[in-house]
Amino acid sequence: MEEKQPKKVLSEQERLELAAQLDKDLDAFISSLEKKRYTEGWPEDRWEEEMAKHPFFMQKSPEPGEELSPLMEGLQQLKYDPQENTEQELADTYKEDGKFYMQHRKFRMAVLSYTEALRYKVGDAAYKAILYNNRSAANYMLKNYRTSLQDAQKALELNPDYDKARWRAAQCASALDRFELCVELCDTILQRDPTNTAAVEMRKACLAKKAAQQRDSRKEARQEREKQERWDRLVTELKKRMVKFEERKALDDERYLRPRLAPLEDFMVSCDENGVLSWPVVFCYPEFQTTDFQQQLLETTTMQDALEQLFEEPLECDKAGLYRAKKVNVYYENRILGLAYLVDKSKTIREIVAERTFVAFQGTLTFYILVKGSKQEESFITQTRIPLKIEY
């Protein structure tokens, strides 16, 4: 057996020296603390923010993805731990979470909470019906009416006597314009409670909306039918006149007949009930590099009459006063052939368009007006034109 060493007995002098050294060491430790910044406490400039993160003092629950303190993580694990709680207890916990989020108008979080609660196998159908109805309410507040309706209907499957779910389903059906379903639900509500004025008003409003929608549908169908009739009539008349267009699909697609110039884009060539066409027309003045527009020129109008109307007011740029119906010539271009043609001013627009050499462009008639015998007219006639390679 090992022999114990005898305990050393300090002399009075040694005891005093040891005490003095301990005091010195303690003073040095305290001095070193004063030089170091304390990092484990709450900073002075944001102690309220840090305090609010503590589970005992926080006033709102953490947001998804927000970093949690170790204490909060421990509390949450305890609260949601499947080993510490039964499935019914976990469902109750998430149900209470959903209620909390609903009260604070955080409807997306409420949907997630009720969804989590529904994951657990609880045997009470009425309890599950409440969860579905509560999730339906949260989705309704988010305007997810289709999903809200599905949840409300599921709640009714589980509990056919659930009036709150039936009313929620009626609200969703109304918002989705499912009129028959809404009326059916309202009728069931009124059978159970004939004094329910909200259901009476909703049923009345639903029937009124249904009638208005049917009326609008009939109106839209009639307008579409009339539009098609106008298009068919127009195409028939254009084919009858054998009008040629640069665009191959002009008589197959309305988009190719619609003018692209801003002053004319709302005035496509049209045909009245008597088969008379009205054309959007561009009058160009090469001398001044400017244009005039006629949005709806009847094809029964002669070019002479069109010019008289055009020059009722003198052109602002015509300082010499030369642009008069009798003093000008009118031309059109056949860009496919690369040639310009003089217009007989006594002819109607219909007769001019019917000429084999006339080709319309983008559903628009284009004419060039020049003073007779002027240098500008000679230059226009003699300029080089490159034919377009278009085959019909």
Side-chain angles (χ1 to χ4, degrees):
M1 185 172 179
E2 186 178 352
E3 185 178 351
K4 291 185 178 179
Q5 295 291 332
K7 185 175 181 181
K8 184 178 179 181
V9 179
L10 297 175
S11 65
E12 182 65 20
Q13 181 63 32
E14 289 175 333
R15 187 182 64 78
L16 291 174
E17 290 177 355
L18 179 60
Q21 183 63 41
L22 291 174
D23 288 340
K24 186 178 179 180
D25 292 343
L26 180 59
D27 289 340
F29 176 72
I30 293 174
S31 297
S32 69
L33 287 179
E34 292 175 353
K35 295 177 182 178
K36 294 181 180 179
R37 185 176 180 182
Y38 179 57
T39 58
E40 296 182 5
W42 291 339
E44 291 184 7
D45 57 341
R46 50 190 179 88
W47 66 271
E48 291 180 331
E49 176 185 343
E50 294 297 329
M51 182 178 179
K53 294 180 181 179
H54 196 283
F56 295 158
F57 303 109
M58 63 172 46
Q59 298 179 353
K60 63 175 185 177
S61 58
E63 297 292 337
E66 183 178 340
E67 185 177 358
L68 302 178
S69 66
L71 180 56
M72 175 57 75
E73 287 184 355
L75 291 173
Q76 284 204 346
Q77 288 174 3
L78 182 63
K79 181 180 180 180
Y80 301 107
D81 191 348
Q83 296 181 353
E84 298 292 335
N85 302 274
T86 66
E87 290 205 348
Q88 183 63 59
E89 288 172 336
L90 289 170
D92 289 341
T93 296
Y94 283 111
K95 179 173 177 286
E96 288 302 313
D97 287 349
K99 179 181 178 181
F100 172 84
Y101 289 126
M102 287 293 289
Q103 290 173 342
H104 290 80
R105 303 187 65 79
K106 294 188 176 182
F107 304 118
R108 295 188 189 281
M109 291 300 298
V111 169
L112 292 175
S113 297
Y114 291 127
T115 301
E116 284 298 312
L118 285 165
R119 289 177 52 213
Y120 297 100
K121 298 178 181 179
V122 292
D124 190 350
Y127 182 87
K128 275 198 168 183
I130 292 173
L131 294 177
Y132 276 110
N133 183 62
N134 290 351
R135 191 171 71 173
S136 173
N139 273 309
Y140 184 84
M141 298 306 296
L142 292 169
K143 297 186 179 181
N144 297 333
Y145 300 126
R146 195 176 305 279
T147 305
S148 179
L149 176 59
Q150 291 173 352
D151 279 347
Q153 290 176 318
K154 185 65 177 179
L156 284 172
E157 288 178 16
L158 294 167
N159 183 4
D161 295 328
Y162 202 169
D163 292 335
K164 289 177 66 176
R166 184 172 286 105
W167 174 244
R168 181 71 63 197
Q171 288 178 305
C172 294
S174 176
L176 293 168
D177 289 343
R178 294 185 59 176
F179 304 120
E180 291 79 6
L181 177 59
C182 183
V183 170
E184 178 184 340
L185 290 165
C186 287
D187 287 342
T188 304
I189 292 171
L190 291 171
Q191 288 174 3
R192 299 167 66 89
D193 179 15
T195 63
N196 192 320
T197 56
V200 172
E201 292 301 319
M202 178 173 286
R203 187 181 190 279
K204 186 186 301 182
C206 189
L207 290 174
K209 284 173 64 178
K210 180 181 179 181
Q213 190 180 78
Q214 290 176 339
R215 183 175 62 250
D216 291 342
S217 297
R218 290 193 298 270
K219 181 179 179 181
E220 289 176 7
R222 184 178 67 254
Q223 290 174 340
E224 187 62 30
R225 190 166 55 251
E226 291 173 352
K227 179 182 177 181
Q228 186 62 43
E229 290 174 355
R230 289 194 299 271
W231 171 255
D232 292 340
R233 185 167 61 242
L234 173 62
V235 171
T236 298
E237 292 298 326
L238 290 173
K239 287 181 176 179
K240 185 187 298 183
R241 291 160 175 69
M242 294 185 291
V243 179
K244 296 182 288 296
F245 296 91
E246 285 190 14
E247 297 80 9
R248 294 184 180 183
K249 300 179 181 180
L251 300 184
D252 299 323
D253 191 333
E254 180 181 314
R255 292 175 298 176
Y256 295 98
L257 270 184
R258 191 164 294 280
R260 298 177 191 175
L261 295 171
L264 301 176
E265 61 185 0
D266 294 328
F267 298 91
M268 190 180 76
V269 58
S270 60
C271 179
D272 65 16
E273 295 180 356
N274 297 318
V276 178
L277 301 181
S278 294
W279 286 92
V281 182
V282 183
F283 292 102
C284 301
Y285 304 99
E287 181 178 355
F288 306 118
Q289 295 185 346
T290 186
T291 54
D292 272 328
F293 300 97
Q294 181 67 267
Q295 293 170 335
Q296 291 179 307
L297 183 62
L298 285 173
E299 66 174 354
T300 54
T301 306
T302 65
M303 181 57 72
Q304 183 69 29
D305 291 339
L307 293 174
E308 293 288 352
Q309 183 180 359
L310 198 61
F311 298 136
E312 281 183 350
E313 296 287 335
L315 292 179
E316 186 175 344
C317 51
D318 179 24
K319 305 301 182 183
L322 298 177
Y323 281 79
R324 297 292 182 268
K326 294 181 180 180
K327 295 182 179 181
V328 298
N329 280 331
V330 181
Y331 294 85
Y332 65 82
E333 286 183 327
N334 184 321
R335 302 202 310 165
I336 298 175
L337 300 177
L339 297 172
Y341 296 89
L342 179 65
V343 172
D344 184 345
K345 292 187 288 186
S346 65
K347 289 185 177 181
T348 64
I349 299 299
R350 177 173 180 171
E351 291 171 331
I352 295 169
V353 173
E355 293 176 3
R356 294 182 58 189
T357 52
F358 192 94
V359 180
F361 173 60
Q362 293 180 359
T364 304
L365 309 184
T366 303
F367 297 101
Y368 298 86
I369 302 176
L370 298 122
V371 175
K372 293 178 182 179
S374 65
K375 293 181 180 180
Q376 289 78 18
E377 181 182 32
E378 182 180 357
S379 176
F380 178 81
I381 296 171
T382 58
Q383 68 178 272
T384 302
R385 295 176 173 83
I386 300 176
L388 297 177
K389 295 182 179 180
I390 300 178
E391 297 181 0
Y392 287 91

